Amino acid sequence: MERRALLGGIAAASGLLAAPNVVIAQAPVTLNGASQFNDDHVFNRCMTRFEELVKQYYGRPINFVMHKNSSLGLEKQFFEYMSAGRAVDYAIVSPAHMSTFSRAAPFIDAPFLFRDLAHWNTVLDQDLFKPVADEVARRARVELIGYAGGGIRNIFSSRPARNMAELRGLRVRVQGAPIWSRTFQAIGMAPQVIAYNEVYNAIQNNVIEAGENEAAGVEQMRFFEVGPNLLMTQHAITIRPLCFSSQTLARLPRELQEAIRRAGREAGVFGRQTESSEDEQKVAALEAAGRLRRIPFTERAQMNAAVLPVMAAYAREIDAEGIQSRINAITS
């Protein structure tokens, strides 16, 4: 009897080893997200919405772990991790950090590209950046599954500036993509590329005088403490892709892949609607609390005219003339 029981146990164990997928399939998938910010930031709320929608559409157990407050680094590192298929599976990342893999990626978020929020929304609704997303997926192995953003970027500065003459020589931090330095130089400023988490101290120590950001970033990073003058240049409207590692995606069940792509699109819309609606509220609240002063900028048309040749040359350089033409042709 004992020998038969032993042989039966061995046979049962052998059966499990011969079909390991039976065991693995029952274990919930765990996906890791990353953010530079805390739960109050719109990016984190957008990714929370993404997680909720994936669970709803997949309908099976799945775990999400969000690494917040830059615990895994900055957006540049998040994108590198996703490209390598390790540590981070999903994150919201500025297109400027994708330029290593796609020269056209920063064009998604280029300054002076959109006339207003209506124009910006139409561009996204028509999926005009699909060629760029396809290139990023092919070369970086990261899918852009949704588009968040919607914050209007202005310059926060230690000194006021109301026109082009007063902007001249302003030492301002810009993102690393070349188009940002080129356009700000064309306006007459002195742009410098500095890591995002070093901007506060750089202004405090007079290394630079200013930075540029949307209201959510100004509030979260407390930039108003060192740059209390908000110069209303309205030079950009943000697009922040919700990214997902292609390598991770390929390992997941087909039903979960479909849920992730569907949830990504819808979470991106949620992020855009939320940030664009809250942008003015945040500026007004900071102003009412005496934390910053809005400085009207009176020469926005002249500023746009100064950067038009730079934008056209950049579009030619990165083979994005077709995208730019279609964006400019939108009349809404």
Side-chain angles (χ1 to χ4, degrees):
M1 286 292 292
E2 291 180 0
R3 186 170 182 275
R4 283 198 300 270
L6 177 61
L7 290 173
I10 292 173
S14 299
L16 287 174
L17 291 173
N21 289 337
V22 174
V23 177
I24 293 171
Q26 293 173 350
V29 172
T30 296
L31 298 175
N32 287 276
S35 172
Q36 297 178 174
F37 307 108
N38 64 26
D39 288 336
D40 294 333
H41 195 280
V42 64
F43 290 1
N44 289 39
R45 285 183 281 152
C46 178
M47 285 189 281
T48 297
R49 181 62 176 156
F50 167 69
E51 295 166 5
E52 292 169 349
L53 288 170
V54 171
K55 290 177 180 178
Q56 175 184 331
Y57 295 144
Y58 186 46
R60 300 174 193 173
I62 180 169
N63 299 321
F64 290 93
V65 178
M66 174 58 66
H67 303 272
K68 297 172 283 193
N69 298 309
S70 300
S71 60
L72 291 182
L74 302 177
E75 288 179 9
K76 186 179 190 311
Q77 285 77 52
F78 303 162
F79 194 80
E80 290 169 351
Y81 290 146
M82 285 185 284
S83 179
R86 60 186 179 88
V88 176
D89 299 309
Y90 63 98
I92 291 176
V93 176
S94 168
H97 301 307
M98 305 175 192
S99 58
T100 302
F101 302 95
S102 169
R103 289 195 308 160
F107 195 72
I108 292 176
D109 196 45
F112 310 102
L113 189 60
F114 306 109
R115 292 188 296 273
D116 50 35
L117 277 171
H119 183 220
W120 168 85
N121 264 312
T122 303
V123 169
L124 289 172
D125 289 342
Q126 294 186 10
D127 201 16
L128 295 187
F129 293 117
K130 186 178 186 303
V132 179
D134 289 345
E135 182 182 29
V136 171
R138 184 175 67 254
R139 300 190 60 194
R141 296 177 296 181
V142 175
E143 289 198 23
L144 310 187
I145 59 172
Y147 294 101
I152 297 176
R153 292 177 82 92
N154 296 289
I155 295 173
F156 54 92
S157 175
S158 60
R159 63 176 173 90
R162 297 169 180 82
N163 51 49
M164 297 279 281
E166 293 178 358
L167 273 183
R168 185 163 299 280
L170 183 73
R171 289 174 284 126
V172 57
R173 181 266 180 184
V174 296
Q175 300 179 56
I179 188 59
W180 287 86
S181 293
R182 294 177 193 177
T183 51
F184 278 49
Q185 284 171 346
I187 296 165
M189 289 182 276
Q192 299 183 33
V193 177
I194 294 175
Y196 187 67
N197 61 340
E198 296 175 5
V199 173
Y200 187 104
N201 288 337
I203 298 177
Q204 190 174 46
N205 296 321
N206 200 33
V207 175
I208 55 175
E209 301 167 277
E212 55 85 38
N213 217 174
E214 61 271 23
V218 172
E219 178 190 54
Q220 182 85 177
M221 303 299 287
R222 306 187 70 83
F223 288 142
F224 54 81
E225 294 178 348
V226 291
N229 301 287
L230 192 66
L231 317 183
M232 303 302 291
T233 51
Q234 300 181 8
H235 55 269
I237 303 175
T238 63
I239 295 179
R240 292 292 177 265
L242 174 55
C243 305
F244 203 97
S245 169
S246 298
Q247 295 188 66
T248 299
L249 203 60
R251 294 193 293 264
L252 301 177
R254 181 178 55 81
E255 294 84 357
L256 181 51
Q257 293 180 27
E258 293 172 356
I260 286 168
R261 290 191 175 102
R262 180 181 175 186
R265 289 191 298 272
E266 295 181 17
V269 172
F270 168 84
R272 297 203 307 272
Q273 292 173 343
T274 302
E275 183 164 359
S276 60
S277 65
E278 292 180 354
D279 198 70
E280 167 60 23
Q281 297 172 22
K282 290 182 181 297
V283 173
L286 289 170
E287 189 177 35
R291 293 177 169 179
L292 60 73
R293 297 183 295 276
R294 283 193 236 212
I295 309 296
F297 191 78
T298 61
E299 295 183 345
R300 191 170 184 274
Q302 293 92 320
M303 183 172 64
N304 278 331
V307 304
L308 279 176
V310 177
M311 287 293 292
Y314 178 66
R316 286 194 301 272
E317 179 184 322
I318 62 173
D319 298 322
E321 288 178 287
I323 297 174
Q324 186 184 37
S325 296
R326 287 191 289 275
I327 289 173
N328 290 340
I330 293 173
T331 57
S332 61

